[in-house]
Amino acid sequence: MKTLSIIFIFCGALLTSCFAPQRTVFKQKIEKTLAEQDSVTSFANKVITKKDSLYKEGNTTEVAFKEYTNSLRTLQLQGSETTEKLKFQLSRVNSRTAFKDYYEDISAYTSQFVKQAESEILQKKELLVIIDKKLDESDLSGEKGRLNGMLNNADAQQAKETVILTGIDADKAALVSAGNLNAATATAVDNRLSLYQKRMDSVGNEIKTLREQLNNPTAVKKNFSIIRSKIILVDSIVNKNAASREYKFSMISEGLKYAKPNLFNLAAFFGPGGYKIPAEKKSTAENLFAPVIDSLILFSNKYESILRTATLMVEGYADASGISASSTLAKKISQYLGEATAEREQLNGGLSAMRADEISFLLNQIVKSRYADFSSINKIVFENIFQGKGEALPNPNIKNYAVNDERRRVVIIYWNVLPVE
């Protein structure tokens, strides 16, 4: 019996020693695959950390975060399952008894599952590389910096334009104070400046809102594409169109230099009590007005690329002499005014308006005859404005006007060319 036991022990030992080389091969294969899986798991954890960090700091969108989270969760689950299976199989290889008892099963597993696991691990690595690259591409920190730069440039441009508009407004006020700019032109300039300022204020508020949103991680995560689109629009409006606006500002500023009054004595066109230019004096009138029209055309052509308004304004003045209420002239003036009867000031105001109306009509006819001299005339809106100032003083700075004063019987012509908007 002892001899038989010894034989069995010897045979068992011999059998175990026969399995030893194969155990080593299997163990090495499983451990190598397990190490590769651990490497993939470590890589996945780094990618997850990067993803979470980007999201926490507001440097990726909610959509991208959810997409990569789902992909990485799937890889984690698959990796955990692979690791558990490999560890279980390794434990059986490490056990002599289990290896001996389940040799055929272990052998089949090693040749099939380990090979399959190696292929899957390779695919996981490739997928992680793709996700990692996409995370880099979805990192908004650089894009946010670029967009913040756009907003900063827009702010700087707005500040620059505010200085320009303030300067134009000051120049306009000085001209009005000196009596070298009429109310109609001042109002037209004010309207343009007000329009530009309102737009700038609106854009300024939008810039402030967009900057707050861009620096708010929650807003970026949810609405980055909308925020970016709005900033690009602001950049287009403020930064890319700056040269066009500044060119218009230059036009307004330069135009103020030519807004001075052009004064003409009414005696050159009208006889006493007259309000119609006689046929024999029209040629004289046209020659006298020609320099005004020439200046308007020259300035308009300089800014031919701009959609613009060319305006001629005529202000008629009268002295304080009385007009007989029973005269034919008084009746015609009253009819022009739509009044049954009119007092002296009304009559003088009406007469000055009728004369301004006549001269305005003539100026309009001259401009029409000069259409060929205008560049890009399809971009010009022509305006004619006239006003009877009556007994008002043509120049408030002159203190010695008399009641019956030739210096009061004048017409003043202004012109301006301004951007439509």
Side-chain angles (χ1 to χ4, degrees), residues 117-365:
E118 288 176 342
S119 176
E120 291 176 355
I121 288 169
L122 182 61
Q123 292 175 3
K124 291 172 190 174
K125 275 185 179 179
E126 292 173 348
L127 183 56
L128 281 169
V129 168
I130 292 172
I131 293 175
D132 190 48
K133 183 179 179 182
K134 284 186 175 181
L135 279 174
D136 288 337
E137 292 171 352
S138 71
D139 182 358
L140 303 178
S141 55
E143 179 68 356
K144 284 164 65 178
R146 186 179 75 88
L147 294 173
N148 260 316
M150 288 183 182
L151 293 177
N152 291 338
N153 290 339
D155 259 341
Q157 180 61 35
Q158 293 252 107
K160 177 183 177 183
E161 291 181 18
T162 296
V163 171
I164 294 173
L165 294 182
T166 301
I168 293 174
D169 189 55
D171 291 343
K172 177 216 69 182
L175 288 169
V176 171
S177 178
N180 289 326
L181 189 69
N182 67 331
T185 300
T187 299
V189 171
D190 280 339
N191 289 340
R192 266 68 169 187
L193 298 184
S194 176
L195 175 64
Y196 296 138
Q197 192 60 58
K198 284 180 181 179
R199 288 176 178 172
M200 286 172 61
D201 291 343
S202 176
V203 172
N205 291 332
E206 182 70 3
I207 290 172
K208 181 180 178 182
T209 299
L210 289 171
R211 181 176 283 113
E212 290 173 352
Q213 292 177 345
L214 188 61
N215 294 322
N216 182 327
T218 302
V220 170
K221 293 171 192 175
K222 292 184 177 180
N223 302 310
F224 180 73
S225 61
I226 295 175
I227 295 170
R228 177 169 55 186
S229 296
K230 288 183 176 181
I231 292 176
I232 291 173
L233 179 60
V234 166
D235 179 62
S236 176
I237 292 172
V238 178
N239 297 326
K240 294 182 179 178
N241 291 335
S244 174
R245 279 193 308 279
E246 289 185 25
Y247 190 51
K248 291 178 181 179
F249 298 162
S250 174
M251 178 183 185
I252 297 172
S253 180
E254 185 180 1
L256 287 174
K257 299 174 184 177
Y258 297 95
K260 63 183 180 180
N262 299 276
L263 187 146
F264 300 89
N265 192 310
L266 288 172
F269 321 112
F270 304 105
Y275 56 88
K276 288 289 184 181
I277 300 175
E280 65 273 12
K281 288 191 176 183
K282 280 196 175 180
S283 178
T284 301
E286 289 174 357
N287 290 334
L288 284 173
F289 295 148
V292 175
I293 305 303
D294 289 340
S295 297
L296 184 149
I297 292 173
L298 186 65
F299 187 81
S300 175
N301 290 350
K302 182 175 180 179
Y303 294 95
E304 62 179 331
S305 64
I306 296 178
L307 184 62
R308 56 208 185 277
T309 301
T311 306
L312 278 164
M313 290 159 284
V314 181
E315 292 181 351
Y317 292 83
D319 59 28
S321 300
I323 299 174
S324 173
S326 61
S327 66
T328 302
L329 177 60
K331 292 178 181 178
K332 288 183 178 179
I333 295 173
S334 297
Q335 185 178 7
Y336 180 84
L337 294 174
E339 301 284 346
T341 59
E343 301 297 327
R344 187 202 75 222
E345 288 188 10
Q346 287 179 296
L347 290 172
N348 280 327
L351 179 59
S352 67
M354 293 167 72
R355 287 171 166 175
D357 189 354
E358 175 74 356
I359 291 174
S360 179
F361 178 79
L362 177 60
L363 289 173
N364 187 44
Q365 294 299 109

